[in-house]
Amino acid sequence: MLRSGQSLACWNLRGSCITFAFSPDGRRVALRVTQGVFFASDTPTVEVWDVQTGRQILAFRGFIEIGNIAGFSPDGRRLVTDWWDSKVRQWETFPWTEAEYPGSAAQPLRERMRLYANQYWSERLAAEREAGDTNGTLQVDLPFDRTQLPARDPTAPPNLVDLTAQYTGTLDESSYLDAMGEYMGINLRNVPKGMVQFQNVSFDVRGVVQLTHASKDPLWGGYPQAVEQIPVAQRFRRLHAVIGSIDSAPEGTAIGALVLRYADGTRHECEIVYGRHVRHWWTHGDSRTDTDLAQVAWEGPHAFPKDPPHAAADLPQPLGKTPGPDQEVVSFDFVSRMTTTAAPFLVAVTVE
């Protein structure tokens, strides 16, 4: 029980369960069950159990890849699962209660179920014939829900550049998906948030702008190669950026750039070089935290403390001088150089 923490029931499963989802009415629970934990020794099953009786109602034969349960449909009759092969599958069930089947109470339930099934599949197959070929791949880009971001402090001065419209993720969640689990993704929930100071410079820290790299891994396909025309509209002498890298690159490799756009149409590139300005955000991937031209902005425990050997994370802070304060900087671009491994990310920018 959620309120008291008391165990209400104990069920004997055929193996391990690592993901589950409750139906909207709370009467059923879907479990992913396998003899293994991550790399299964048998084909996993998605099992639907009755919460009140503790009985298994249905078992769907799954796939050998790791699978997760996304949830039930609002009516509780469909279940969506996602799997390591980057496919989302919809599983369908029959109504749960006898009253939902057509026919009179005098008819045997088996006959009423048969009538329901015949009607259902007749309508379903007719709809598929009208729709034509439905075996194509459908890719859907879901926009980042910016309501998850902390609100910008109304007292934040304009020289703390507002990145709200450019963030691709929050600091509290992995900014990208990783096949080995969320703990491998960048997760900066322990970083101070809001208006904070790193190395005596104030920053507005509320999210992450994550760029992609040249990997063919489809998990990186949802992130941009560049985020352009981030508004600045100010004159300044110095730019401070809290940036980092996911994964490492050979020393001296340019993995990204900040491209300043001036009011007269000219541009100036501030390259982001691995080993000079940034390193892998997590010491698990690169044990060094020193850089030639940057300072560590923050260092603290990893968001998943059960992995103590790699519990430090760092966000290097490059300090770059601009060509001059006479011209207004209208905006800047944050660009990935599309190396094969390292992907840059941006947390905050301050100008002065």
Side-chain angles (χ1 to χ4, degrees), residues 319-337:
L319 307 178
K321 289 185 177 180
T322 65
D326 297 332
Q327 280 283 344
E328 177 184 284
V329 176
V330 177
S331 62
F332 72 90
D333 304 338
F334 180 42
V335 181
S336 171
R337 293 299 190 209

Side-chain angles (χ1 to χ4, degrees), residues 215-242:
S215 168
K216 295 182 180 179
D217 189 334
L219 296 174
W220 282 97
Y223 292 98
Q225 182 176 343
V227 177
E228 299 180 334
Q229 300 186 28
I230 301 173
V232 180
Q234 298 176 63
R235 292 180 172 87
F236 55 86
R237 294 178 179 272
R238 189 179 291 270
L239 179 146
H240 307 268
V242 179

